[in-house]
Amino acid sequence: MRGAVIPSVLLILWEAGSRAGVLPPDSTSRPSDIVRAFAQALADGSLVRDTWLTFEAALFGFAIAALLGILLGAILGLSPRTERAVGPSVEALRPIPAVALIPLALLVFGFGVRMEAAVVAFAALWPVLLMTLSAVRGVEPRLLELSRSLELPFWQQLVKIVLPAAFGRIAVGLRLAVAISLVVAVTVEIVLNPRGLGHSMIAAQQALRSDLMYAQLLWLGFVGWALNKVTQR
Amino acid sequence: MIAARPVGVSFGSRQVLADVSFDVPSGQFLCIIGPSGCGKTTLLRVLAGLIAPTSGEVTADGKAVRGPARSRAIVFQDYTKALLPWRTVAGNVALGLEACRVAEPQKSRRIEELLSKMGLGHCAGQYPAQLSGGMQQRVQIARALGQDPQLLLMDEPFGALDAITRQGLQDEVARIAAEQKTTVVFITHDLEEAIYLGDQVIVLAAAPGTGAGRIAERITVEIPRPRSQLETREDPRFLAYRHRLFGLLKH
Ligand SMILES: Nc1ncnc2c1ncn2[C@@H]1O[C@H](COP(=O)(O)OP(=O)(O)OP(=O)(O)O)[C@@H](O)[C@H]1O
Ligand SMILES: [Mg+2]
């Protein structure tokens, strides 16, 4: 409860300040206008639609990153020889900022969900891959010997022994990847992809609708917070 | 039939085993005994195919062992690390059966049967962390038996058991091995257990100087089966074997 005091006071000062004309009207809408814009965006369905479009791309990219990251991480973690061969390439690709791949993704996929998901997947891949790799390396050697001596096919070794044993730490990587996915999806939309929350925000800003832009920004903050809460469990 | 044709193992410059050779004909029970650190577990891992010997080779039915195989089941010494903590007792036993592609309903029936043989019928739904060391060890044995192995490799499987349970399981393992004609290599610290269970007993000891484990003595136990906890242990031959090997195990 005490944590709500500062935001409440700020909100009141903000509202009072802009009514009194102290704050610049272009960049700081009144809280009451923001609430109205939010209610309107919610009522006409645009907020929900935009949120879904952003989610769609984030989820799509995250799924690719999770699948690829777990698989690659497990293979590299289990086979030191493959790790020596592939490791340097991974280290070379990893420092590329994901957003720097936006032009390339646009070239390959054109506008739309696929290019957005591709950039998201690239960004979210690394935490999953690296956490899986180190988690798999940390699996009790006795269990690996057991699975070898049972002659389980590679796929079953993975599903029955390695991944469950490594699950705790893989989950940490997945959690990081979820947060990154949302951030990168919105970034791609703001930069150029004409869809989703990011795009609507930049459109509102260009239309001088700072009330709407703030409403979307606050909503995005809430979505990010909620997503984090959900994945913490 | 499993054979070691002079096996030597070194880790870096440290020689752990030197010149270990023996034959275990099919269906026979070999017990290996020796002081801590003399290379017993290492030898078992070579027999399993988990590590390659530095010199010599291990053959199973005449073929060189190049890696682990389902037909050679292992009961690991460090039982706390060898069970899947996220699977129940029944689930852990099921793993061996799954590897052999045993389908339902035989699978459930086999699990029940194996658990009751090991005296674990009442804890099928419990998790390894909820069990005592001796119980975990029995889960491992049940899983290994579920693989229906030709060779059963056991590394101090009864170390964590009380005397009564231990004797019961000795008889159970001896009976199962005889019944299924399984070849067994059994490591123990307990001389009487080795003689009671074995057709052969090999004493490993560290060679003075290098410290490498080598065979210090081997005996063939000529006491007929089935053996009995009371009579066999009072048999004059049993006592004679005990006398003969006891001196070797003193430091
Ligand atoms: N992977 C390894 N690398 C280096 N040294 C090892 C390795 N494994 C075993 N050793 C060494 O080999 C020797 C024999 O070990 P081993 O585990 O075979 O003994 P053991 O007879 O089973 O002992 P215990 O009765 O205590 O179980 C020990 O000195 C150990 O330190
Ligand atoms: Mg040992």
Side-chain angles (χ1 to χ4, degrees):
Chain A
M1 267 296 61
R2 207 175 281 174
V5 172
I6 294 176
S8 309
V9 170
L10 282 179
L11 269 178
I12 293 167
L13 284 178
W14 184 357
E15 180 80 32
S18 58
R19 277 181 195 271
V22 179
L23 294 172
D26 288 348
S27 57
T28 55
S29 307
R30 295 173 192 169
S32 53
D33 291 338
I34 295 173
V35 170
R36 202 173 307 122
F38 179 80
Q40 202 182 3
L42 201 62
D44 69 12
S46 62
L47 194 65
V48 173
R49 195 193 62 231
D50 288 341
T51 308
W52 164 245
L53 287 173
T54 301
F55 258 51
E56 184 191 25
L59 208 70
F60 188 11
F62 169 78
I64 295 170
L67 222 69
L68 224 74
I70 290 177
L71 198 67
L72 273 174
I75 291 172
L76 299 188
L78 285 176
S79 158
R81 215 184 312 153
T82 321
E83 212 280 328
R84 276 195 296 278
V86 180
S89 312
V90 168
E91 285 311 309
L93 285 175
R94 198 160 65 93
I96 300 177
V99 287
L101 290 182
I102 293 176
L104 176 62
L106 181 63
L107 201 66
V108 176
F109 296 112
F111 292 108
V113 65
R114 290 195 304 160
M115 74 86 94
E116 194 172 323
V119 179
V120 168
F122 182 84
L125 174 68
W126 309 113
V128 182
L129 191 149
L130 295 179
M131 285 310 279
T132 305
L133 187 116
S134 86
V136 165
R137 278 205 192 126
V139 171
E140 173 54 48
R142 214 52 82 238
L143 293 183
L144 298 180
E145 288 176 357
L146 173 68
S147 73
R148 279 172 61 206
S149 76
L150 286 170
E151 294 183 277
L152 292 175
F154 178 73
W155 193 243
Q156 283 194 34
Q157 285 193 32
L158 218 56
V159 173
K160 291 191 171 164
I161 314 256
V162 176
L163 294 183
F167 179 75
R169 289 170 68 196
I170 293 176
V172 176
L174 290 176
R175 212 173 288 148
L176 287 170
V178 167
I180 291 174
S181 296
L182 184 66
V183 170
V184 173
V186 172
T187 308
V188 175
E189 289 163 1
I190 288 179
V191 174
L192 54 63
N193 207 17
R195 63 199 298 285
L197 274 175
H199 174 69
S200 293
M201 275 174 71
I202 203 82
Q205 181 258 318
Q206 280 162 0
L208 301 178
R209 286 283 314 276
S210 62
D211 55 339
L212 181 58
M213 190 195 74
Y214 275 111
Q216 287 161 335
L217 182 58
L218 292 172
W219 170 246
L220 196 56
F222 171 74
V223 167
W225 173 83
L227 207 59
N228 193 37
K229 270 279 170 240
V230 170
T231 54
Q232 289 291 296
R233 286 188 304 162
Chain B
M1 149 114 171
I2 182 120
R5 292 287 146 68
V7 162
V9 174
S10 304
F11 294 112
S13 61
R14 160 108 166 82
Q15 190 168 23
V16 173
L17 288 173
D19 203 19
V20 174
S21 26
F22 53 77
D23 288 87
V24 194
S26 285
Q28 262 214 15
F29 209 119
L30 166 68
C31 291
I32 298 176
I33 188 164
S36 183
C38 70
K40 303 181 296 297
T41 297
T42 306
L43 178 58
L44 202 76
R45 291 160 63 77
V46 173
L47 296 178
L50 287 171
I51 52 178
T54 316
S55 63
E57 71 170 359
V58 170
T59 61
D61 296 323
K63 280 192 269 231
V65 167
R66 304 226 180 281
R70 202 153 52 216
S71 57
R72 296 191 295 275
I74 315 169
V75 175
F76 292 97
Q77 180 175 11
D78 36 4
Y79 48 87
T80 51
K81 297 177 181 168
L83 296 173
L84 307 181
W86 60 89
R87 283 200 185 200
T88 60
V89 166
N92 270 282
V93 176
L95 187 69
L97 298 165
E98 287 162 21
C100 303
R101 301 199 185 77
V102 177
E104 296 291 1
Q106 288 95 308
K107 190 168 122 184
S108 304
R109 210 175 322 127
R110 278 288 280 154
I111 292 173
E112 212 171 297
E113 189 182 301
L114 288 163
L115 287 180
S116 85
K117 266 186 194 160
M118 289 298 123
L120 294 167
H122 58 289
C123 42
Q126 283 179 294
Y127 288 88
Q130 298 171 287
L131 306 180
S132 71
M135 290 159 101
Q136 295 182 20
Q137 200 52 295
R138 283 181 273 160
V139 178
Q140 261 209 97
I141 298 173
R143 177 181 66 203
L145 291 174
Q147 276 171 253
D148 217 355
Q150 281 158 18
L151 175 64
L152 184 57
L153 301 163
M154 304 175 94
D155 199 347
E156 300 187 33
F158 301 152
L161 296 174
D162 65 275
I164 301 292
T165 317
R166 186 171 183 141
Q167 296 192 345
L169 281 172
Q170 286 170 353
D171 290 335
E172 190 65 36
V173 166
R175 199 182 57 72
I176 294 169
E179 206 175 272
Q180 326 220 331
K181 303 193 172 43
T182 314
T183 314
V184 184
V185 176
F186 186 105
I187 292 176
T188 175
H189 269 139
D190 178 344
L191 179 54
E192 296 193 18
E193 182 171 74
I195 301 169
Y196 181 73
L197 284 174
D199 295 305
Q200 286 184 69
V201 177
I202 285 179
V203 180
L204 280 186
T210 62
R214 56 179 175 80
I215 296 180
E217 177 71 287
R218 65 176 97 212
I219 61 168
T220 307
V221 181
E222 317 253 11
I223 302 175
R225 291 178 189 275
R227 297 175 184 169
S228 114
Q229 293 289 351
L230 278 180
E231 276 113 62
T232 304
R233 286 172 194 267
E234 288 164 357
D235 192 304
R237 289 168 288 185
F238 185 93
L239 298 174
Y241 294 131
R242 209 176 146 250
H243 272 270
R244 180 159 156 207
L245 298 184
F246 186 77
L248 286 167
L249 293 168
K250 275 192 310 194
H251 290 283

